[in-house]
Structures are given as C-alpha cells and as structure tokens.
Amino acid sequence: VTLTNWNRLTERVESMCNPNLLINTDFRNPVNQRGQSEYTGTGYCIDMWKIYFADCSVSLESDSILLKQDRERQARIMQIVENAGALSGKICTFSVLAKGDGTNTPKISVQNGNEDLFLYAATQADEYELITKTFTVPNDITELRIIIYASTNNTIPAKIYIKSAKLELGSFSTLANEVVDYATELRKCQRYLQVYAGEVGSAIKSFGANDEW
C-alpha cells in the first residue's frame, strides 16, 4: 500500500458515518412538537426522549439541551430503541457529546429492560467530551433502553449540557461525522406523535404502538 493510497483510505474511514439507530438526537436543534422550552418531572419532553424522576428537568438552550437534577435522584433521559430484537447479538456503539457543570460528569448507560448492560462516565466535568462505549446486544434482549445521566452519583444540584447522541452498529463511533436533517427527523417523530390545532385552541395528539412517543 503506497503512502498516497493509505492517506486516501484514512480520509475515507475518517469521513464514514453509520446510520443512527436513535431518533431526534441533534440537541442543538431538536424536534420539539410539544413546544415547551422546559420540561419538569417524569414524562416525555422533546420528541422520543423521556425524563425519569420528579425534580428533574430538561430545558432547551441555544446549542444544546440542559439536563438538571434538584434532589438526590440521578436525573436521566431515556429513549427506547424500536425493534430491538433485530439487534440481538450484534456489536453496537453508543456515544454522546456532553459536558458537566464543572463538578459533575455526565454518564451513559444501556439497559436490557431494567438491567444495566454497562454504566460509563465521562472523564471531564467542564469541557465537552465524546463519551463512547461499545457493547454487544444480548441474545435475549427484551427492551433496549438508551440512557443519559446528569451525574455519576446523587450529588445535588447537578446539570449537564448535551449536544448530540448516537447509537450505531459497529465497534467505533461516527458521531463526529453525523449530519442530521431536521425534516427527516420530524417525519420520524410524527410516526409517534402529531399535534393538531383544534377549533377551540386545544390539541389532539396521536401516538404510536405501546404509547411510546
């Protein structure tokens, strides 16, 4: 292999971008059909993502989302992967671009139902870091949960800023090369939630199977 060909191969690898198995992952400009600038307590927030625990919140910043916890419970947001059985036995990589508040560091996790497949924390608390972990999806997968935590412990208060996230097939992250098309993400989200303006200003919401929207 000549040096020129090696350089071309390196450039090609560095520009690779695998499909994202998650939906609505560009938190600099997320799909937010519910229209709120801040969401508090357990329940869905921006499309496809769910907050766990009361006294936790997600707010939209200019170039990220802010996840906060205000009591001794580890604030987290979660997305459930559709058709997880198709990933049974496959190698996947989960990655998140996030930073802490100077004291707390972000943490990521993947669960099979309620069982952690791994917990993995960032190494820095005050700078954006690509947090990435490769894992094998269990053959007995029941429900694949993708989770981002506001801290590595129950320290209060805690907050993190999150720019983007990705779950992909393979043993390395291509999140740095991700280009997200908002219109495409909106169409994906509308499979689970659509909001229609009513005649009296109310909203009618339609949602997907198992109320997962």
Side-chain angles (χ1 to χ4, degrees), residues 82-130:
E82 188 176 31
N83 297 326
L87 299 175
S88 174
K90 297 186 182 299
I91 296 174
C92 292
T93 297
F94 176 37
S95 50
V96 173
L97 183 61
K99 74 171 182 177
D101 58 5
T103 302
N104 298 285
T105 55
K107 181 173 68 174
I108 62 174
S109 174
V110 172
Q111 292 182 340
N112 178 11
N114 292 317
E115 180 183 353
D116 287 319
L117 299 182
F118 69 81
L119 290 165
Y120 189 75
T123 59
Q124 303 182 69
D126 56 356
E127 295 182 3
Y128 276 104
E129 178 180 347
L130 182 62

Side-chain angles (χ1 to χ4, degrees), residues 3 8 24 34 36 39 43 47 55 69 75 83 88-89 98 114 159 173 181-182 204 208 212-213:
L3 180 59
R8 288 175 179 170
N24 197 27
R34 294 169 183 82
Q36 298 175 214
Y39 299 87
D47 286 51
D55 299 319
Q69 66 185 39
N83 297 326
S88 174
N114 292 317
K159 60 183 180 181
S173 172
D181 179 69
Y182 180 88
I204 302 172
E212 295 298 344
W213 47 274

Side-chain angles (χ1 to χ4, degrees), residues 100 127 154 162 198 211 213:
E127 295 182 3
N154 290 332
I162 315 167
D211 294 354
W213 47 274

